[in-house]
Amino acid sequence: KSHSLATAFSQALRIMANVEVVSVTEGGGVAVGEVLQQLRAEYGCDLAALVGVDGLLIEAATAEGLDAESVAANAVSGLLMMEALGRELQETAARQALIEFADHVVLVAPLGGDVALVLVASGESNLGRLRLAVRRIRPRLEAEVAAL
């Protein structure tokens, strides 16, 4: 019985993760889902996602065929390493981490609270442009996250 309950809960989480948000928030601003779609479209990302540090996907704009939940959950697991390294270096919180693979680039940026932005782009992407995009959009996303 507990197995079927766990399966139902897992399915409910997947359904909730795939629900699109309304395009305009109460205050008249653009909703998080639309901001992520814009990031994905303008910077050629395969994934733009907000994810809790516990690995649960909050909102995502993703290319077909990419498992947004798995990628985002694995990407934020690196936040613990970032925090530990920051403490060792007597630094404040890290602003972002960039991981390069042969075919992909993953950028993880903590947004305050327990939420991070995860971007996955082609390995040929302009890294400076991606970092600039995060710097520009961070205040807007942080405000949206604070309102959640």
Side-chain angles (χ1 to χ4, degrees):
K1 185 174 181 170
S2 66
H3 175 69
S4 62
L5 182 60
T7 302
F9 182 71
S10 176
Q11 288 173 338
L13 285 176
R14 269 190 227 112
I15 290 167
M16 288 171 33
N18 290 323
V19 172
E20 290 186 26
V21 295
V22 178
S23 63
V24 177
T25 60
E26 282 183 29
V30 177
V32 172
E34 199 166 307
V35 172
L36 296 175
Q37 283 288 4
Q38 181 182 355
L39 266 173
R40 187 169 169 257
E42 288 183 22
Y43 297 94
C45 295
D46 293 329
L47 172 70
L50 287 183
V51 60
V53 294
D54 57 2
L56 290 177
L57 191 64
I58 297 169
E59 184 67 41
T62 183
E64 198 168 316
L66 189 67
D67 184 351
E69 288 183 54
S70 294
V71 171
N74 283 303
V76 296
S77 67
L79 290 176
L80 294 174
M81 180 273 307
M82 288 170 54
E83 289 175 10
L85 188 55
R87 282 192 304 274
E88 189 65 32
L89 296 171
Q90 299 177 359
E91 282 284 346
T92 58
R95 290 183 298 226
Q96 59 186 234
L98 191 61
I99 306 158
E100 289 185 70
F101 296 98
D103 296 327
H104 294 91
V105 173
V106 179
L107 190 146
V108 180
L111 295 176
D114 292 334
V115 177
L117 172 67
V118 175
L119 298 178
V120 175
S122 158
E124 299 172 1
S125 295
N126 183 323
L127 302 181
R129 197 164 173 252
L130 277 177
R131 293 183 71 210
L132 182 60
V134 171
R135 192 175 320 142
R136 286 180 177 163
I137 203 74
R138 179 187 293 273
R140 190 169 171 190
L141 287 174
E142 285 175 338
E144 292 289 338
V145 165
L148 292 177

